[in-house]
Amino acid sequence: MEKYLEKFQDLIITYAPKAIMAIIIYIVGSYIISLLLRATKKIMIKREVDITLQKFLVNLLHWTLKILLIITVIAKLGVETTSFAAILASAGLAIGLALQGSLGNFAGGVLIMLFKPFKVGDLIEAQGEIGVVKEIEIFTTKLTGLSNKEIIIPNGSLSNGNIVNYSSEGTRRVDLTFGVSYDADIKQTKEILMNVITSHPKVLKDPAPTVNVSELADSSVNFAVRPWSKTEDYWAVYFDITENTKIALDKAGIEIPYPHSVEIHKES
């Protein structure tokens, strides 16, 4: 028992200073990294670097410095960095296969930063999700969904898939369809619908809104109503026009017909 206690004491005497120094290096190193990141952010803000590029570069710098710090701590604990590198090299194939998805996501992040299909603050649709771009990180992109949920999409999938950017053009067309009775006067109905959309303060005059008969359906004459708005006003225009149209048609005595169904009775 005394023999084991002596060995334990020898280990403590041998490795305790190294462990303490490694802890100090990690704490001090983490503090220095945070200072460097803050300084980098300030420099990029001062030089008016694009916010999307700012966040990506800071995230990349953060992980690079963290990895270097961890290697330094490991070396201080007595592990030869050359041996550590040799172990990584020998396990390179396994590590490469394990990190294949991550490397693809990293490459996807680089492609997004190079080609800039979207930026922070844009409303996009991708991978079956719709949301405002919150942050572009090394491996993933974070969106804020329309119901304020956080959506995280891997950059690899994002860069290789279809992306619809609703914000890049600055304006959007609001596509609405309203059906009225066959008894309604087409000219009068078009005038009412046009008056509803042109009187809305957030509907743009250029491009000009349009109202056209789009379909002679089974139980209604359908009108395609197409006002334009700024991207940020899209939903306000969509909901307001829908409500105001119903009110205006009711006031004019123009019927919006219910769907008709035919019931067939078989004689026995």
Side-chain angles (χ1 to χ4, degrees), residues 70-91:
I70 290 169
I71 292 173
T72 303
V73 170
I74 290 172
K76 193 62 186 177
L77 287 171
V79 180
E80 292 288 339
T81 52
T82 53
S83 301
F84 185 67
I87 292 170
L88 287 178
S90 63

Side-chain angles (χ1 to χ4, degrees), residues 94-112:
I95 292 172
L97 290 172
L99 296 178
Q100 187 175 7
S102 296
L103 292 173
N105 290 330
F106 175 76
V110 173
L111 289 173
I112 290 170

Side-chain angles (χ1 to χ4, degrees), residues 5-27:
L5 286 173
E6 287 177 4
K7 285 185 177 181
F8 183 69
Q9 288 174 352
D10 290 339
L11 287 172
I12 291 176
I13 292 170
T14 303
Y15 289 103
K18 293 181 179 179
I20 292 170
M21 185 57 66
I23 292 170
I24 292 172
I25 289 172
Y26 183 80
I27 294 172

Side-chain angles (χ1 to χ4, degrees), residues 6 16 20 40 63 77 85 126 171 180 207 215 221 233 236-237 258 264:
E6 287 177 4
I20 292 170
T40 303
W63 284 107
L77 287 171
T171 59
V180 300
E215 183 185 13
V221 178
D233 295 333
V237 171
Y258 295 98
I264 300 175

Side-chain angles (χ1 to χ4, degrees), residues 172-178 186-187 189-199 203-214 222-229 237 241 245:
R172 286 185 67 184
R173 191 181 72 182
V174 184
D175 293 349
L176 297 163
T177 300
F178 299 103
I186 290 180
K187 185 178 179 181
T189 304
K190 287 183 71 173
E191 289 176 353
I192 291 171
L193 293 173
M194 183 60 77
N195 182 59
V196 168
I197 57 179
T198 54
S199 61
V203 170
L204 300 177
K205 294 181 179 179
D206 185 22
T210 60
V211 176
N212 295 289
V213 175
S214 62
N222 293 337
F223 288 82
V225 178
R226 302 291 184 261
W228 288 77
S229 72
V237 171
I241 296 298
T245 295

